[in-house]
Amino acid sequence: MSAGQTWIAAPGAPLRGTLRVPGDKSVSHRAVMLGALAEGVTRVTGFLEGEDTRATARVFERLGVRIETPSASERIVHGVGLHGLRASAQALDCGNAGTGMRLLAGVLAGQGFDSVLIGDESLSKRPMRRVTEPLAAMGARIDSKAGGLPPLRIHGGRGLQGIDYTLPVASAQVKSALLLAGLYAQGETVVREPHPTRDYTERMLAAFGWPIEFSPGYARLSGGHALRATQVAVPADFSSAAFFLVAASVVPGSELLLEAVGMNPRRTGLLAALRLMGADIVEEHARAEGGEAVADLRVRYAPLHGVEVPEALVPDMIDEFPALFVAAACAQGRSRISGAAELRVKESDRIATMAQGLRILGAQIEETPDGAIIDGGALQGGAVDSHGDHRIAMSFAVAAQRARGDVRIGDVENVATSFPNFDGLARGCGFELRTAFGL
């Protein structure tokens, strides 16, 4: 996607059709990582062909792992074992992938060689101290810029020790980095969370044969074992499905069927929040694929009403808040969102960016330090800036389907990091969305 790309979105017809959104980004990252560290050949199907996940695959190729792409959304990873990675002469570029950088910090902290992790302009502004400090407690030495910002310079050969660590803020990425470092550590690594987060890493470690004990908010493993290659079927990404769940809920006359969506209970907080608001979303054909729960989701238009979003749902929907802001702006009455301060340090300050854009579109919204108070009502047209944040861009495309005029959404090229062909899939089910250049 070209720099300076803009979308022009407008109200369209009711949304109809059957969709399969791309593979889960979190599972795709981890499948490549564990496949690379495993003994044997791992086949990954449903792999997300996004810039973030491709960046992670390229990093492991630079570390000496052979990864084949026999077809789109498929990877064959020739594992080199836990100690088979080779030093890269160049910095390892994570692109826009915060997940990739944080998890790689855990893997590379246990290597016998030095590494440098870099990212794009957006990732270079995202704090990494929440990962580097507990890794340092395990014995890692990781240098960064002031404020804990990338690049991360990771010194090898440190001899890690397991720790018992309680996360000050619930984060699946930080938990995963510590567990991956724990594969290389002497003794036991225990991670405790103030609130349970998604457990993709724990489930996948078990699938690759590593002994691990885990329950909501708790994980424990010890070093000294091996990962064994396996087959990974990546479910459709709930975070990508979220935009269509909200869109069909707020556009009158809509009905969509979203196929094989990942239903990991630590990921589906938005589903619970939308149902509290009155959404009509039904799970069909619930099943397990590749160790993960999946279901087809049928969503029909239903008038939404404002709610106070329970803080207990926040860790299970942190990536879906931009879409939730849109649902609240289209609902009748007041919604109150709190406990989501982490949104201020994502790809953008998502609270400020969503509030600014929704005000431009006529919404009544008041920012709070950890959320917002939103009074639902009619939206109008206008020009908004996504600030290079893929989830912000797609959320405003959803908002435009309920606006009274055209919405110009600037700086949308980063949508490719998580949801390639979002615009094509959206148009196919009824979105009014076209591409232009410049705001």
Side-chain angles (χ1 to χ4, degrees):
M1 301 177 79
S2 302
Q5 187 170 347
T6 294
W7 285 337
I8 302 174
L15 307 179
R16 300 278 184 172
T18 298
L19 308 178
R20 175 74 183 251
V21 300
D24 188 287
K25 185 164 71 164
S26 298
V27 176
S28 295
H29 278 301
R30 289 160 173 80
V32 166
M33 289 185 181
L34 295 189
L37 300 176
E39 297 174 1
V41 179
T42 292
R43 182 177 178 225
V44 183
T45 56
F47 180 83
L48 171 65
E49 295 289 0
E51 291 302 323
D52 281 8
T53 47
R54 287 175 172 174
T56 292
R58 285 194 295 269
V59 165
F60 278 96
E61 287 177 322
R62 289 201 174 279
L63 293 169
V65 179
R66 183 159 67 96
I67 301 176
E68 298 177 76
T69 306
S71 63
S73 303
E74 186 179 4
R75 294 293 186 276
I76 296 177
V77 185
H78 296 263
V80 296
L82 210 60
H83 301 283
L85 299 180
R86 300 197 304 266
S88 170
Q90 298 176 310
L92 301 167
D93 190 352
C94 299
N96 188 247
T99 300
M101 180 172 283
R102 292 188 176 100
L103 271 60
L104 278 162
V107 171
L108 295 173
Q111 303 304 317
F113 51 83
D114 295 353
S115 302
V116 178
L117 293 174
I118 62 174
D120 66 8
E121 182 180 2
S122 171
L123 183 54
S124 297
K125 296 175 182 176
R126 297 178 66 182
M128 296 290 155
R129 189 172 284 158
R130 281 188 299 166
V131 172
T132 58
E133 287 184 348
L135 286 174
M138 297 179 74
R141 180 183 164 197
I142 304 176
D143 301 326
S144 64
K145 292 173 63 177
L149 300 180
L152 301 183
R153 299 181 181 277
I154 303 171
H155 299 262
R158 298 291 294 179
L160 303 183
Q161 298 292 322
I163 57 171
D164 190 324
Y165 186 76
T166 299
L167 295 175
V169 177
S171 169
Q173 293 180 3
V174 178
K175 172 181 64 175
S176 297
L178 301 183
L179 292 175
L180 292 172
L183 304 182
Y184 294 91
Q186 291 290 322
E188 207 169 62
T189 296
V190 179
V191 184
R192 307 174 195 271
E193 302 175 284
H195 304 288
T197 62
R198 60 192 66 168
D199 57 2
Y200 291 130
T201 300
E202 297 95 306
R203 288 173 181 265
M204 197 170 290
L205 282 168
F208 276 83
W210 196 280
I212 181 170
E213 177 187 342
F214 63 97
S215 58
Y218 175 85
R220 181 176 70 179
L221 56 73
S222 58
H225 305 283
L227 296 166
R228 298 188 299 273
T230 189
Q231 310 299 309
V232 180
V234 180
D237 196 321
F238 184 89
S239 292
S240 295
F243 303 105
F244 294 99
L245 293 176
V246 171
S249 292
V250 302
V251 175
S254 296
E255 179 175 345
L256 293 176
L257 181 66
L258 303 170
E259 294 183 318
V261 178
M263 298 295 289
N264 185 297
R266 298 274 70 86
R267 188 68 177 271
T268 53
L270 178 71
L271 187 59
L274 289 175
R275 284 173 169 162
L276 285 174
M277 299 174 77
D280 180 0
I281 304 172
V282 178
E283 297 169 39
E284 301 178 355
H285 192 202
R287 58 212 186 263
E289 291 183 2
E292 285 289 339
V294 302
D296 302 333
L297 297 180
R298 187 176 300 277
V299 52
R300 301 177 178 91
Y301 167 76
L304 302 184
H305 55 81
V307 296
E308 183 155 342
V309 178
E311 285 195 30
L313 295 178
V314 169
D316 299 339
M317 58 184 297
I318 202 68
D319 285 335
E320 289 74 53
F321 269 99
L324 178 67
F325 275 46
V326 172
C330 295
Q332 290 296 314
R334 171 169 290 186
S335 293
R336 186 184 298 269
I337 296 163
S338 57
E342 185 180 346
L343 293 175
R344 294 200 180 274
V345 292
K346 301 295 279 184
E347 283 84 338
S348 67
D349 179 337
R350 285 181 172 163
I351 294 173
T353 305
M354 287 303 300
Q356 178 188 48
L358 286 171
R359 285 192 200 103
I360 289 170
L361 301 184
Q364 301 297 310
I365 178 169
E366 175 189 345
E367 281 186 58
T368 64
D370 64 346
I373 300 167
I374 304 171
D375 290 302
L379 299 179
Q380 62 193 24
V384 299
D385 192 340
S386 73
H387 294 276
D389 189 321
H390 50 124
R391 300 197 195 281
I392 299 287
M394 290 183 280
S395 295
F396 282 127
V398 172
Q401 304 312 300
R402 275 285 301 267
R404 292 175 173 172
D406 287 0
V407 176
R408 297 180 66 92
I409 308 162
D411 200 6
V412 303
E413 49 269 18
N414 269 347
V415 170
T417 65
S418 69
F419 199 154
N421 196 38
F422 166 81
D423 49 349
L425 202 60
R427 283 192 294 268
C429 71
F431 274 61
E432 192 68 35
L433 186 65
R434 64 185 191 275
T435 301
F437 293 90
L439 186 61

